[in-house]
Structure formats: structure tokens, C-alpha cells
Amino acid sequence: MEAKLVTFKHFNQYKNLSHCFTTRIGGFSNGVFSSLNMGFGRGDDYDLVMKNYKLVARQLGIDISEMVLSNQVHGDTIMRVGKKDMGKGIVSESDLLGVDGFMTNEKGLGLTLFFADCVPLYFYDPNHEVIGMAHAGWKGTVLQIGKKMIEGMATEFGTRPEDIIAGIGPSICGDCYEVSLDVKKQFDLSFNDDIIAQVVKNGVSDEKFIIDLKLTNRLLMEEAGVLPSNIEVSDLCTRCNQNLFFSHRVMGKERGSQVGIMVLR
């Protein structure tokens, strides 16, 4: 059996980098979790979730004991992790609480984050051999976690923004993400008029709006100095493709989760 995984074309050219975004296809889980559920604590059989992890890890050429996970909270905390953190959140208890972004320059460590509509952000600095991943829902986007990842990579490793190769993974698209007025106000407070004009559209009523989270995060990356040609954006929408992905907007709490994974070989 093989899990169906999504990858970025421009990351695939680097032989020392493995990465993926999982789908819901090719795993062992059943029912609402069918079949490649990567989410613990959602009501799925623990042993089946572990089998799913082992399947994906094998395809990436790592062991589950080399992964690192966090209990994400839709915040902007980013942590530098290393081999001392291997296995946390999957084969051992984790003290990495409230973390929505990881970065490392250590080889063999699988940065792993959960998604089910939110935007997966991938970062790779080939010059300094550094990777980073961030989880950006609307709250993380408003907090500009992607820009903070770029700043963190610069501070910790000397990364230059113009050297970063970035990916924006499968997530809810700019036609599907309807929000209420209170969320729209948070965007108005956080971003300039130029960004708002590009990413916010009117919804079905005066109290509803459509926001393009992928485009917002792309514009923030460019603002931070990442070259537009170095950003690859997946055109896959998690809400539009329910046969391929778990979507919180569609399925609510009774669903599985995808993960994004990055590892330096």
C-alpha cells in the first residue's frame, strides 16, 4: 500500500530535501477517518493512526521516531528544533506546546504540522541548509507567522529572504473561505489597503466576506523579501476536493487531519 502524497515541483529538484502534504487516500483508518487520517485525539483508532504515520514515514525515508509534532493553537510561536526533539508528540511526550511553526538545520528531523483547511507554509534555504514549516489559519495569517518564520530563519541561521524557496500547500481556496465581519475587521487592522483590495471580496451579505488566505500569505512572503519566482502555490483546495482531503469547513470535528512534513536528508 502507498499513501497518496502531494509535493512541490521546485522542492523535488533538491535531493537532500524530502517533503509532502498528505491526502486522505491510501491509509488504514475507517469511517469518517477514511483512510489516511494523521490526527491523534480525534476519535480514530490509535493503532491505525500509527500505521498511517509509519506508511508516510517510510515513503519519505524516515522513521516515525524522527518526527516532531506540536499541539498547534493558531498562534505565531515558532521554535527552533533539533535531534533532541525527535519523536516528541508521536513516540514520546512533547513539551513543545502551543507551537505553530518549526525550523531546523539538523538533518533527519521530520518537521510535522497538522492541517484541515488552514494554510501550510514551507520554507527552504538551500544556501544554509535550513528548513521551516508554519501553520497559518486566519489567526496565524493575521499574526503574519510566515513573515516571522523568515525573520526567525535570518536571525537563527543567517538566511537571506531572497534565497528562500517557499511553498504554499493545499488549503481552503479564495472562493471558499467565507468569514464574518469580525474576522474581516482583523484583516483590516493588520494589513494595508493594497493587500486588502487583493485578498478580500464581498460575500453573500453585508456581514459576510470571502478571504484568500493563500494569496495573503504569498503577498506577506513577497513583502518579507522572498522572490515571487521562488514561491510555488498549490491550486488544490481542501474544501473543493472532499474526496482528496479532510476539510473542517465541510466535515466539522468528525474528520481526520492531513499533515505537512519536511526533512533534510
Side-chain angles (χ1 to χ4, degrees):
M1 179 183 287
E2 278 211 348
K4 183 175 179 61
L5 307 176
V6 177
T7 61
F8 293 96
K9 291 179 181 178
H10 68 184
F11 286 154
N12 289 335
Q13 66 183 304
Y14 296 99
K15 294 182 178 179
N16 58 336
L17 177 67
S18 292
H19 76 288
C20 74
F21 186 82
T22 63
T23 67
R24 61 181 301 179
I25 297 173
F28 299 93
S29 298
N30 303 302
V32 296
F33 307 110
S34 177
S35 62
L36 190 64
N37 169 37
M38 307 296 282
F40 293 105
R42 305 206 63 84
D44 195 4
D45 184 286
Y46 175 83
D47 292 334
L48 295 181
V49 179
M50 288 297 282
K51 287 179 72 175
N52 292 339
Y53 268 92
K54 290 174 182 177
L55 177 65
V56 173
R58 185 172 70 246
Q59 288 181 219
L60 289 179
I62 61 174
D63 189 84
I64 60 170
S65 64
E66 297 170 319
M67 292 179 166
V68 57
L69 287 64
S70 165
N71 69 326
Q72 299 151 217
V73 294
H74 295 274
D76 62 349
T77 298
I78 298 166
M79 183 167 289
R80 177 176 178 172
V81 290
K83 290 188 176 180
K84 62 180 175 54
D85 300 303
M86 280 184 171
K88 290 182 178 179
I90 182 165
V91 297
S92 63
E93 289 294 321
S94 178
D95 56 357
L96 306 175
L97 305 178
V99 177
D100 281 85
F102 290 131
M103 58 183 169
T104 192
N105 65 345
E106 296 190 31
K107 291 180 170 57
L109 178 62
L111 310 183
T112 306
L113 294 173
F114 298 97
F115 301 90
D117 280 334
C118 294
V119 184
L121 305 178
Y122 296 69
F123 304 84
Y124 176 48
D125 172 5
N127 289 346
H128 293 86
E129 285 296 289
V130 175
I131 56 174
M133 275 203 71
H135 163 256
W138 77 260
K139 292 181 180 178
T141 300
V142 163
L143 292 168
Q144 303 191 31
I145 189 171
K147 185 179 286 190
K148 289 172 182 175
M149 176 67 75
I150 294 165
E151 293 167 351
M153 289 170 66
T155 299
E156 293 288 330
F157 306 107
T159 292
R160 300 188 312 166
E162 60 267 31
D163 293 333
I164 289 176
I165 311 298
I168 298 176
S171 48
I172 196 164
C173 75
D175 293 324
C176 287
Y177 192 54
E178 185 178 68
V179 301
S180 54
L181 180 59
D182 60 328
V183 174
K184 196 262 187 183
K185 286 180 177 178
Q186 292 297 314
F187 273 72
D188 289 339
L189 291 171
S190 300
F191 305 118
N192 61 43
D193 291 343
D194 180 55
I195 288 181
I196 294 297
Q198 295 181 70
V199 305
V200 179
K201 298 183 292 187
N202 291 328
V204 295
S205 72
D206 292 341
E207 297 293 315
K208 296 293 182 181
F209 301 87
I210 307 294
I211 292 180
D212 191 333
L213 292 179
K214 289 184 185 181
L215 179 56
T216 307
N217 281 283
R218 181 189 181 103
L219 294 172
L220 291 173
M221 286 181 181
E222 293 178 9
E223 237 183 36
V226 181
L227 301 178
S229 59
N230 284 351
I231 305 171
E232 183 177 343
V233 183
S234 171
D235 61 0
L236 292 170
C237 171
T238 48
R239 188 181 187 276
C240 291
N241 297 280
Q242 298 167 43
N243 61 325
L244 192 58
F245 300 109
F246 300 107
S247 168
H248 180 73
R249 275 294 173 107
V250 176
M251 303 165 189
K253 294 182 178 180
E254 292 190 355
R255 56 161 177 82
S257 292
Q258 287 84 223
V259 292
I261 305 171
M262 285 189 92
V263 57
L264 289 168
R265 291 188 176 278

